[in-house]
Amino acid sequence: MRMYRSKPEKRSEQRRPKLSERAQDPWRCEADVVEGLEAIAADELRRRLGQDASLQPSPRPGVVPFDYSGPLVALLQLKTIQSVYLVLRFAVPRPRALLGDQHFRNLLACIAAVRSLHPPGAFRTLYVSAAGSESAVMTRLKEELARHTGLEIARDEGDLMLRVRRPFERGEGWEVLVRLSPRPLATRAWRVCNLEGALNATVAHAMILLAKPRPQEIVLNPACGSGTLLVERLAASAAGRLIGCDTSPHALACARANVSAAGSSDRIELYPWDARALPLPERSVDVLYSDLPFGQLVGSHRENIQLYPLILQEAARVARQAAPFVVITQEVRLLETLLAEQQVWALEGVLRVSLGSAYPRIFILRRR
Ligand SMILES: C[S@@+](CC[C@H](N)C(=O)[O-])C[C@H]1O[C@@H](n2cnc3c(N)ncnc32)[C@H](O)[C@@H]1O
């Protein structure tokens, strides 16, 4: 029995695969993405990984499978993807067989390849997610993994995350997925201040890409909260100016901490401005992004009825002709109604995303 590989290759039964060899063989990979962002994530995979990645048909929403033959470390740079897993397929009838010597060695080799991408000590705990994860077999699997890796078994989230499951297409065998990073890629190192209602960074990055960032442009982020869109904008490309504003001192303090942790304090400007009355000249901004209050954790529907039209109007005043304005909100009906009542913003597209319990939409507007 051997680990899944796209191009089968003869290898000695006893020899443990080395990372250098692995890097040249296609790995079967799976990207977890926010539902609704699959096409944007697939574009990012193609753009960043080029011919090293061969995208496979998606078996279900939120999953982008691909075969990958480049260095694994490059996958840690992906910005629109929640987590990347390496997928090992074993032609075994039951998970118990994963404990067999060769299968288990293959699994350990994969885990070693993942751990080698990170500094020593980055992984302290392990977690195995599986149907029947408390069964005798799964308990034994966890114990053996803990014994061989020196990691502690976690009750919930672990640094080393494994999933054991049947293949999606209901083929023979079992799959073990090994997450490539001790935290999801969506958990950004720069986020030192967690503001309630902050935007998922992969969604923010997708919004940034939707406006096709250009290096010299002047960017405005009204209602910037903790600065997610601003930091992600700078991660995508340089900008002429990056301006964020928020009326909440707490949100601005949070944004300052995050921007500083991102090492971008000298490139991102933060102001306590009201997005309904900006001290900026008419037609001075090239692109706008906003995560407007959803009216649940932040603000209320009643306040939004007053707030949204004024923000749209003020954004239209400062936007240059043809400037994109990418907006995310859960106040879908309110925004649709307001857009239908005005002429300045043309609606170019809408994307529905699923964030667990929330289903906001991303609206792509353009200044007429
Ligand atoms: C959904 S939160 C933004 C969260 C942000 N994207 C993040 O990741 O932290 C909306 C923000 O709008 C701000 N806000 C509400 N009314 C505003 C106004 N009139 N002008 C500027 N900001 C406003 C709130 O203080 C809040 O921080």
Side-chain angles (χ1 to χ4, degrees):
M1 226 304 294
R2 53 195 304 141
M3 262 195 272
Y4 169 88
R5 47 186 61 248
S6 302
K7 283 188 197 147
E9 172 202 30
K10 285 203 173 133
R11 76 166 65 245
S12 141
E13 292 267 297
Q14 295 308 314
R15 198 157 63 95
R16 181 178 292 204
K18 291 188 192 129
L19 179 59
S20 56
E21 292 167 326
R22 286 260 149 234
Q24 286 152 30
D25 295 340
W27 287 95
R28 188 188 177 102
C29 299
E30 199 168 285
D32 272 6
V33 302
V34 167
E35 283 183 42
L37 299 186
E38 294 85 352
I40 297 174
D43 278 351
E44 189 192 10
L45 288 168
R46 282 189 210 99
R47 183 168 44 82
R48 280 188 195 269
L49 309 176
Q51 297 198 332
D52 286 342
S54 159
L55 271 69
Q56 305 297 316
S58 175
R60 61 169 67 168
V63 174
V64 181
F66 60 102
D67 287 347
Y68 179 62
S69 53
L72 290 179
V73 72
L75 301 179
L76 301 175
Q77 303 307 315
L78 294 163
K79 299 280 189 234
T80 62
I81 281 155
Q82 300 262 80
S83 290
V84 177
Y85 287 83
L86 301 180
V87 183
L88 308 179
R89 184 171 291 183
F90 299 92
V92 295
R94 280 176 289 280
R96 176 191 293 277
L98 298 173
L99 288 159
D101 185 51
Q102 194 187 340
H103 300 319
F104 197 68
R105 271 192 290 120
N106 283 340
L107 181 51
L108 289 178
C110 176
I111 291 170
V114 167
R115 290 179 78 181
S116 74
L117 303 172
H118 302 274
F123 293 84
R124 295 188 186 284
T125 56
L126 77 88
Y127 182 76
V128 177
S129 150
S133 62
E134 298 308 316
S135 66
V137 169
M138 285 301 162
T139 303
R140 171 93 197 284
L141 182 64
K142 283 185 260 186
E143 285 168 358
E144 286 300 310
L145 284 168
R147 198 161 69 81
H148 284 83
T149 59
L151 302 177
E152 227 176 272
I153 300 171
R155 287 175 165 273
D156 205 334
E157 279 273 305
D159 301 323
L160 181 70
M161 290 289 283
L162 286 92
R163 291 179 184 162
V164 180
R165 67 172 194 211
R166 285 275 196 200
F168 275 135
E169 67 272 22
R170 294 173 190 276
E172 289 292 296
W174 285 80
E175 287 177 342
V176 181
L177 284 75
V178 182
R179 192 172 71 190
L180 209 60
S181 48
R183 299 280 163 276
L185 298 177
T187 306
R188 306 291 208 240
W190 56 257
R191 200 186 287 285
V192 293
C193 182
N194 261 308
L195 186 71
E196 194 167 27
L199 189 57
N200 174 304
T202 69
V203 176
H205 203 90
M207 286 174 65
I208 298 301
L209 298 181
L210 282 168
K212 301 191 172 57
R214 286 167 298 136
Q216 301 302 326
E217 65 193 11
I218 297 176
V219 182
L220 176 65
N221 175 203
C224 67
S226 60
T228 311
L229 281 159
L230 293 162
V231 176
E232 292 301 318
R233 170 61 187 77
L234 201 52
S237 100
R241 272 183 85 184
L242 269 168
I243 307 166
C245 73
D246 204 290
T247 42
S248 155
H250 173 59
L252 274 181
C254 213
R256 283 203 182 91
N258 286 333
V259 164
S260 164
S264 309
S265 299
D266 56 340
R267 279 165 294 166
I268 295 178
E269 305 168 41
L270 294 165
Y271 300 106
W273 300 339
D274 189 324
R276 296 168 295 187
L278 298 163
L280 291 171
E282 277 180 27
R283 309 224 156 201
S284 58
V285 171
D286 297 309
V287 54
L288 300 93
Y289 299 98
S290 200
D291 169 19
L292 293 175
F294 286 9
Q296 290 165 343
L297 286 175
V298 183
S300 69
H301 178 64
R302 240 175 129 150
E303 287 166 357
N304 286 345
I305 292 172
Q306 307 290 324
L307 181 69
Y308 276 37
L310 296 174
I311 289 188
L312 278 182
Q313 199 180 311
E314 185 62 346
R317 186 185 67 77
V318 299
R320 292 216 164 103
Q321 195 178 1
F325 186 10
V326 185
V327 178
I328 186 164
T329 182
Q330 193 153 269
E331 291 272 26
V332 173
R333 255 190 224 139
L334 173 60
L335 191 53
E336 280 174 349
T337 308
L338 292 170
L339 291 173
E341 286 168 355
Q342 55 82 57
Q343 299 296 320
V344 269
W345 291 111
L347 178 59
E348 288 201 336
V350 183
L351 215 65
R352 184 178 189 268
V353 292
S354 164
L355 291 173
S357 55
Y359 297 91
R361 285 184 203 182
I362 299 171
F363 291 79
I364 305 139
L365 314 179
R366 194 169 294 275
R367 178 74 166 91
R368 286 198 168 101

